[in-house]
């Protein structure tokens, strides 16, 4: 080769390297621009930014077989694929990961990925992979971002504390991918293996659970409404205990109504503000119901445990301030601090098909923040259930001692059984089933929790009727005793 040929080859190499450097710098600047947009909260469309990044990676010129670029929260990879492609496996252990994303991940692409594209065009293909350690680019939903055959796995809203909001995506440029005998696998590993997370509900159980909830809540709504109306009809017989029961019935009534409306208002045609408002109302109703259950336990303790006649001025009014005021303060505080806590919440559903498991989505208007859900739903309910279980055990012990002193005959055992069941319902101890939704307890817990707690208002109605019948029977017995004594005189 003469000197002119060597000089021409050197110029070509320099030109190629300069184009590669220029393309890399342009793509890197675009990635930094995307990060700046998230920090400044500008009105720039994140969908356009991601689409622009995809186009630059698909059209970038680079030497070798791959190009890797990385910023603080974004990592991109571009690969040149030919028709002799034998498969590709990527993992966080082999790649330089984004510093703010400690979660492990892996992506496997089968050899037949380029099969259909090579049948029509014998040319080089481009495979790009993008890793995001933040979901700020997907505030409008991952499904609205990007174009083409873009394979994306996102865990925003579902178990985000486990997977750190990590988003992985891949796209095969200028080619279509379908009917693969071996699927493209995208895998995540939890960074906190001891943390409990809600297990996906089997999709085949969605219909029966929904039907049970619909029927049970409807029956409870009718029963609670009827109880409240009967109370107002016989208001002259009202006392503090009955008024406490009526407040519990009212909270259960609001809870059931809000729960039945929650899936309806989570549908796309309904404005997001309506779903947010209903989610806050549903959370408030649940907290109120739990608070009134705890008040029932506290009132039972005063009835059975006080030695002297304790008088509390405006007792029911103070209890109403606690039962309705404390939950309202908590919910209003959350809305004032961050209204996005409430809104459409996606419930994962597992759908078993052969050896693979797919996931579907079901949305309700509910608490979206995992921290708020842990503290002000599970934590609040856990404390209430624990308190009432302790009160129930103590009350049964007191009743047993009283029966032992009276040396009651055998027929009283039936009445004692009804009393135990009534106290169990009154204190809402069946809500403790919510803490057994794991492992082998998942399916029995789902059905038992749905049946018992959807019919909670109906069970309270039965308790109200039994107490009313007992009080009327006792009143008639006293009247008969008074009449017989008056006749003898």
């Amino acid at each position: 080769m003469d000197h002119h040929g060597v000089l021409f080859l050197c110029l070509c190499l320099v030109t190629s390297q300069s184009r590669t450097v220029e393309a890399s710098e342009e793509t890197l600047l675009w990635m930094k621009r995307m990060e700046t947009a998230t920090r400044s909260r500008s009105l720039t469309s994140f969908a356009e930014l991601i689409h622009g990044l995809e186009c630059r990676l698909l059209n970038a010129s680079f030497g070798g077989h791959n190009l890797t670029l990385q910023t603080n929260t974004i990592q991109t990879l571009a690969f040149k694929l030919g028709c002799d492609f034998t498969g590709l496996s990527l993992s966080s252990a082999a790649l330089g990961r984004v510093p703010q994303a400690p979660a492990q991940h892996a992506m496997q692409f089968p050899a037949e990925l380029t099969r259909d594209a090579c049948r029509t065009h014998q040319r080089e293909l481009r495979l790009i992979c993008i890793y995001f350690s933040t979901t700020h680019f997907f505030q409008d939903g991952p499904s609205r971002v990007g174009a083409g055959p873009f394979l994306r796995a996102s865990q925003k809203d579902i178990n985000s504390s486990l997977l750190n909001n990590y988003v992985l995506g891949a796209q095969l440029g200028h080619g279509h991918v379908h009917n693969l005998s071996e699927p493209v696998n995208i895998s995540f590993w939890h960074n906190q293996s001891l943390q409990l997370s809600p297990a996906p509900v089997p999709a085949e159980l969605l219909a029966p659970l929904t039907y049970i909830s619909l029927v049970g809540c409807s029956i409870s709504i009718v029963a609670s409404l009827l109880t409240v109306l009967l109370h107002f009809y016989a208001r002259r017989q009202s006392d503090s205990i009955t008024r406490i029961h009526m407040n519990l019935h009212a909270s259960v009534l609001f809870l059931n109504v809000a729960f039945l409306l929650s899936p309806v208002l989570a549908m796309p045609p309904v404005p997001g503000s309506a779903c947010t408002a209903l989610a806050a109302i549903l959370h408030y109703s649940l907290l109120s119901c739990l608070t009134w259950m705890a008040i029932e336990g506290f009132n039972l303790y005063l009835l059975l445990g006080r030695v002297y006649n304790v008088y509390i001025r405006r007792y029911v009014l103070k209890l109403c301030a606690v039962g309705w005021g404390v939950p309202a303060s908590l919910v209003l505080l959350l809305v004032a601090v961050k209204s996005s806590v409430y809104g459409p919440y996606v419930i994962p559903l597992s759908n078993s098909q052969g050896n693979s498991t797919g996931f579907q989505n079901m949305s309700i208007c509910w608490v979206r923040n995992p921290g708020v859900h842990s503290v002000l739903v599970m934590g609040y309910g856990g404390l209430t259930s624990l308190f009432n279980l302790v009160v129930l055990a103590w009350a049964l012990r007191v009743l047993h001692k009283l029966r032992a002193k009276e040396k009651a005959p055998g027929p009283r055992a039936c009445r004692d059984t009804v009393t135990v069941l009534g106290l169990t319902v009154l204190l809402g101890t069946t809500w403790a089933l919510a803490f057994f939704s794991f492992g082998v307890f998942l399916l029995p817990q789902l059905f038992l929790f749905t049946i018992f707690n959807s019919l909670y208002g109906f069970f309270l109605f039965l308790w109200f009727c039994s107490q009313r019948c007992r009080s009327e029977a006792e009143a008639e017995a006293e009247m008969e005793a008074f009449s017989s004594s008056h006749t003898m005189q």
Side-chain angles (χ1 to χ4, degrees):
M1 184 179 294
D2 55 10
H3 297 288
H4 295 285
V6 173
L7 181 60
F8 177 76
L9 180 61
C10 291
L11 289 175
C12 291
L13 289 175
V14 171
T15 303
S16 176
Q17 291 178 355
S18 63
R19 289 180 179 177
T20 301
V21 172
E22 182 180 355
S24 301
E25 290 181 350
E26 181 185 359
T27 306
L28 193 61
L29 288 174
W30 188 267
M31 294 163 61
K32 292 180 178 179
R33 177 188 172 188
M34 294 174 64
E35 291 184 332
T36 304
T38 60
R39 290 192 297 268
S40 62
R41 297 182 180 180
S42 62
L43 299 179
T44 305
S45 172
F46 291 136
E48 295 179 0
L49 291 175
I50 295 178
H51 182 68
L53 177 60
E54 294 171 0
C55 292
R56 282 164 175 75
L57 290 171
L58 289 173
N59 299 315
S61 299
F62 56 90
H65 295 286
N66 62 79
L67 172 67
T68 303
L69 300 174
Q70 179 175 315
T71 59
N72 290 330
T73 58
I74 308 173
Q75 186 180 37
T76 60
L77 298 95
F79 299 91
K80 295 178 180 179
L81 305 183
C83 294
D84 57 347
F85 179 63
T86 58
L88 178 64
S89 178
L90 303 174
S91 66
S92 56
L95 297 173
R97 295 181 298 164
V98 180
Q100 298 181 7
Q104 297 183 9
H105 57 266
M107 301 178 72
Q108 292 86 29
F109 302 94
E112 58 177 333
L113 189 69
T114 60
R115 179 190 57 192
D116 292 339
C118 288
R119 286 177 181 174
T120 55
H121 300 283
Q122 297 290 332
R123 61 181 178 181
E124 181 183 87
L125 297 174
R126 183 70 56 85
L127 174 67
I128 63 172
C129 300
I130 306 177
Y131 303 80
F132 297 95
S133 64
T134 176
T135 57
H136 290 300
F137 303 107
F138 303 96
Q139 296 298 325
D140 295 332
S143 62
R144 295 177 57 186
V145 180
F150 195 79
L151 310 170
R152 181 174 293 112
S154 173
Q155 288 292 332
K156 180 186 179 184
D157 295 336
I158 304 176
N159 299 340
S160 59
S161 60
L162 287 177
L163 301 178
N164 291 333
N165 291 324
Y166 208 69
V167 181
L168 277 66
Q171 180 177 350
L172 182 65
H174 309 295
H176 297 281
V177 179
H178 56 85
N179 297 328
L180 295 177
S181 60
E182 183 180 353
V184 175
N185 292 320
I186 301 179
S187 305
F188 295 91
W189 283 267
H190 294 178
N191 63 326
Q192 299 178 18
S193 58
L194 299 176
Q195 181 174 348
L196 294 176
S197 59
V201 179
E204 57 271 16
L205 299 181
L206 177 62
L209 289 174
T210 303
Y211 180 77
I212 294 172
S213 300
L214 179 62
V215 174
C217 290
S218 300
I219 293 175
S220 292
I221 289 173
V222 175
S224 297
L225 187 60
L226 183 60
T227 306
V228 174
L229 292 177
L230 288 175
H231 165 68
F232 282 108
Y233 176 76
R235 196 169 183 176
R236 62 182 181 276
Q237 303 177 5
S238 176
D239 55 8
S240 61
I241 299 176
T242 306
R243 288 197 291 268
I244 293 174
H245 292 345
M246 292 306 105
N247 280 279
L248 178 58
H249 271 285
S251 65
V252 173
L253 177 62
F254 293 150
L255 177 61
N256 286 321
V257 172
F259 179 77
L260 290 182
L261 292 177
S262 179
V264 178
L265 296 187
M267 301 299 290
V270 180
S273 58
C275 186
T276 300
L278 181 62
I281 294 173
L282 179 58
H283 189 206
Y284 169 72
S285 302
L286 176 63
L287 294 180
S288 299
C289 186
L290 293 173
T291 306
W292 280 108
M293 292 177 193
I295 290 175
E296 290 280 7
F298 173 74
N299 188 63
L300 180 62
Y301 167 76
L302 291 184
L303 291 175
L304 296 180
R306 63 188 182 186
V307 179
Y308 302 102
N309 187 16
V310 179
Y311 172 75
I312 301 178
R313 188 170 179 266
R314 296 182 178 177
Y315 178 57
V316 177
L317 182 61
K318 292 178 180 178
L319 292 181
C320 288
V322 175
W324 300 108
V326 172
S329 300
L330 294 174
V331 173
L332 290 176
L333 179 62
L334 289 176
V335 173
V337 173
K338 191 175 182 180
S339 60
S340 60
V341 168
Y342 300 109
Y345 175 78
V346 179
I347 300 177
L349 298 176
S350 62
N351 183 18
S352 300
Q353 298 177 349
N355 295 325
S356 63
T357 302
F359 287 91
Q360 303 175 358
N361 290 331
M362 175 184 176
S363 297
I364 62 172
C365 299
W366 185 231
V367 179
R368 303 176 62 183
N369 187 282
V372 174
H373 185 273
S374 299
V375 176
L376 289 182
V377 177
M378 301 302 295
Y380 201 96
L383 290 177
T384 302
S385 299
L386 180 61
F387 173 75
N388 282 355
L389 284 173
V390 172
V391 171
L392 177 62
W394 173 82
L396 295 180
R397 182 170 176 268
V398 171
L399 291 176
H400 178 72
K401 288 183 177 181
L402 293 175
R403 294 292 182 259
K405 290 180 180 180
E406 295 178 1
K407 297 181 180 181
R412 190 181 289 270
C414 181
R415 179 185 295 181
D416 293 342
T417 303
V418 173
T419 301
V420 171
L421 292 176
L423 291 177
T424 303
V425 171
L426 184 67
L427 299 179
T429 53
T430 56
W431 290 79
L433 290 170
F435 299 93
F436 292 92
S437 58
F438 56 88
V440 296
F441 299 103
L442 176 60
L443 296 184
Q445 180 269 349
L446 283 175
F447 281 95
L448 291 177
F449 183 87
T450 304
I451 293 172
F452 285 131
N453 295 319
S454 63
L455 292 171
Y456 181 64
F458 176 69
F459 294 147
L460 285 177
F461 170 74
L462 295 180
W463 169 256
F464 173 79
C465 293
S466 66
Q467 292 300 104
R468 188 184 180 101
C469 293
R470 176 181 296 182
S471 62
E472 290 179 356
E474 291 177 353
E476 290 179 1
E478 291 179 358
M479 288 295 296
E480 290 178 359
F482 176 78
S483 299
S484 60
S485 63
H486 184 72
T487 302
M488 293 178 61
Q489 291 177 359

